[in-house]
């Protein structure tokens, strides 16, 4: 298990990434675990990235996949707790504008 559903209200979904890295070794697991939760949500979706220390292109692809599962009116996925290393990677890959950031 790479994510934990930490939803606190019925109109939002908060997924906490439990791993310190989201990369080629576990991005598929993230997609498999997150997809039914995101697709079945009815409100805002947030992903808590506070434990992440490393992300590669596979991990970024998994986050983008979660974004694409939402209907356009509920996009983008909100990423919370994004540290400077992860933010630098997202900016380097030019995908930081695909998300909303909090905290």
């Amino acid at each position: 298990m790479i994510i934990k559903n930490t939803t606190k209200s019925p109109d939002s979904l908060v997924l906490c990434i439990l791993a310190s890295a989201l990369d080629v070794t576990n991005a598929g697991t993230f997609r498999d675990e997150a997809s039914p939760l995101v697709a079945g949500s009815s409100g805002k979706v947030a992903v808590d990235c506070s434990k992440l220390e490393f992300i590669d292109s596979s991990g970024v692809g998994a986050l983008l996949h979660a974004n694409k599962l939402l209907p356009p009116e509920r996009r983008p996925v909100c990423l919370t707790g994004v540290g400077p290393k992860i933010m630098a990677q997202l900016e380097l890959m030019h995908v930081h504008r695909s998300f909303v950031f909090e905290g």
Side-chain angles (χ1 to χ4, degrees):
M1 177 178 280
I2 188 169
I3 61 172
K4 178 181 175 184
N5 181 347
T6 59
T7 301
K8 296 182 179 164
S9 68
D11 62 340
S12 68
L13 172 67
V14 179
L15 302 175
C16 179
I17 299 175
L18 302 174
S20 62
L22 187 57
D23 57 22
V24 70
T25 64
N26 60 9
T29 302
F30 175 88
R31 286 174 73 141
D32 292 346
E33 292 178 9
S35 291
L37 297 170
V38 172
S41 71
S42 60
K44 177 182 171 183
V45 175
V47 178
D48 180 353
C49 300
S50 58
K51 294 184 179 165
L52 271 186
E53 297 174 13
F54 176 79
I55 192 166
D56 69 5
S57 60
S58 298
V60 170
L63 292 175
L64 289 170
H65 176 73
N67 213 19
K68 290 179 184 177
L69 290 173
L70 292 174
E73 65 274 6
R74 290 203 350 251
R75 287 183 195 154
V77 166
C78 177
L79 301 181
T80 64
V82 176
K85 288 181 183 180
I86 302 302
M87 182 59 84
Q89 284 297 103
L90 295 173
E91 290 172 350
L92 182 67
M93 294 181 201
H94 301 285
V95 297
H96 60 288
R97 292 186 187 107
S98 299
F99 304 100
V100 171
F101 297 91
E102 289 181 8

